[in-house]
Amino acid sequence: MMLKEMQKLPEAVQLIEKASMMYLENGTPDTAAMALERAGKLIENIDPEKAVQLYQQTANVFENEERLRQAVELLGKVSRLLVRGRRLDEAALSIQKEKNIYKEIENYPTCFKKTIAQVLVHLHRNDYVAAERCVRESYSIPGFSGSEDCAALEQLLEGYDQQDQDQVSEVCNSPLFKYMDNDYAKLGLSLVVPGGGIKKKAPATPQAKPESTTATAAEEGEDEYAGGLC
């Protein structure tokens, strides 16, 4: 506490880590986890990378004690910090671990939300294949197929694949996306499709050209006859 008041937070965190190790050695993992989480909160604003490490350690302690709800809550903090720091490869793995735990405890609606977060992260990594696979694998989660989350993600992937920025923006500005955790909502709002948003849809114009040409030729013919009659 004295070190905290003296604004020597890295030193305070080191002492808390040592204390947590002693708690673990003495068979009090709950106290160890609380200490590690406290250290993460202390350092989060000045050293997010260290906070990620501490929260991961805390999650591991809870997971070893089969306290999965507490573990996944800490993993959620890890994922958000990784997204905030643009460490997107690591974030994708962290969110997948969250999702696995939510499936294990049968919290399926939260799995849907984690799937949205995964897809946004993968698209920001420019990995459409991983995003599509993520949705496809989620069809096995009870209730996902036919949910509004599933429909929105299918629409998002279609718009992204077709380079339709309007469709992508419409999905990402929907309440389903905008009211997610702030870090993920920002990913949605800043998502830009490749190719500058130029639509890549099936060409209808070339098919219409012959009709247009015929019509033009007919009009020209009429003009010629009209001139001759005059």
Side-chain angles (χ1 to χ4, degrees):
M1 291 299 295
M2 289 178 64
L3 288 172
K4 179 184 175 183
E5 290 173 4
M6 295 168 65
Q7 295 298 308
K8 294 185 176 181
L9 296 183
E11 291 87 344
V13 167
Q14 286 180 1
L15 290 179
I16 293 173
E17 283 187 279
K18 288 180 181 178
S20 69
M21 291 298 297
M22 294 173 68
Y23 289 134
L24 285 173
E25 290 169 2
N26 284 281
T28 53
D30 285 357
T31 309
M34 288 172 60
L36 288 169
E37 184 177 2
R38 187 180 305 152
K41 288 178 180 177
L42 280 177
I43 205 76
E44 186 175 312
N45 291 328
I46 62 171
D47 191 349
E49 187 171 346
K50 182 63 177 178
V52 163
Q53 180 189 333
L54 291 164
Y55 288 145
Q56 286 173 330
Q57 287 178 294
T58 311
N60 288 337
V61 173
F62 280 131
E63 197 170 357
N64 290 336
E65 294 300 306
E66 298 185 353
R67 296 178 58 180
L68 298 183
R69 294 181 188 279
Q70 288 89 342
V72 79
E73 184 180 337
L74 269 298
L75 286 173
K77 291 185 178 184
V78 169
S79 300
R80 290 191 295 274
L81 282 173
L82 290 171
V83 166
R84 207 174 301 165
R86 306 301 294 181
R87 296 161 62 183
L88 298 181
D89 291 349
E90 295 171 78
L93 295 173
S94 181
I95 295 169
Q96 182 61 51
K97 190 168 184 180
E98 281 186 79
K99 191 171 167 183
N100 291 341
I101 293 178
Y102 280 119
K103 285 173 69 175
E104 189 174 343
I105 62 179
E106 299 183 351
N107 185 341
Y108 301 129
T110 304
C111 286
F112 304 167
K113 305 307 176 191
K114 295 303 171 184
T115 303
I116 293 177
Q118 275 185 304
V119 168
L120 289 172
V121 167
H122 285 313
L123 293 181
H124 270 273
R125 294 174 59 241
N126 298 315
D127 194 341
Y128 176 84
V129 173
E132 187 181 37
R133 184 173 61 247
C134 171
V135 174
R136 190 168 60 247
E137 289 173 350
S138 295
Y139 289 136
S140 63
I141 302 172
F144 180 73
S145 181
S147 68
E148 63 171 346
D149 305 79
C150 178
L153 285 172
E154 287 174 346
Q155 188 180 359
L156 175 65
L157 290 177
E158 178 189 43
Y160 191 90
D161 185 47
Q162 296 296 330
Q163 296 183 342
D164 187 342
Q165 183 67 53
D166 290 341
Q167 182 168 321
V168 167
S169 296
E170 183 181 350
V171 175
C172 291
N173 276 283
S174 68
L176 188 64
F177 281 64
K178 286 178 72 174
Y179 297 130
M180 295 179 69
D181 286 323
N182 195 41
D183 294 296
Y184 300 125
K186 286 180 178 179
L187 284 185
L189 294 173
S190 61
L191 183 59
V192 177
V193 300
I198 301 171
K199 294 184 182 180
K200 192 181 69 177
K201 294 185 177 178
T205 307
Q207 294 177 358
K209 277 184 179 178
E211 295 179 6
S212 176
T213 305
T214 304
T216 304
E219 289 172 4
E220 288 175 354
E222 287 176 4
D223 288 341
E224 288 175 7
Y225 284 118
L229 289 171
C230 289

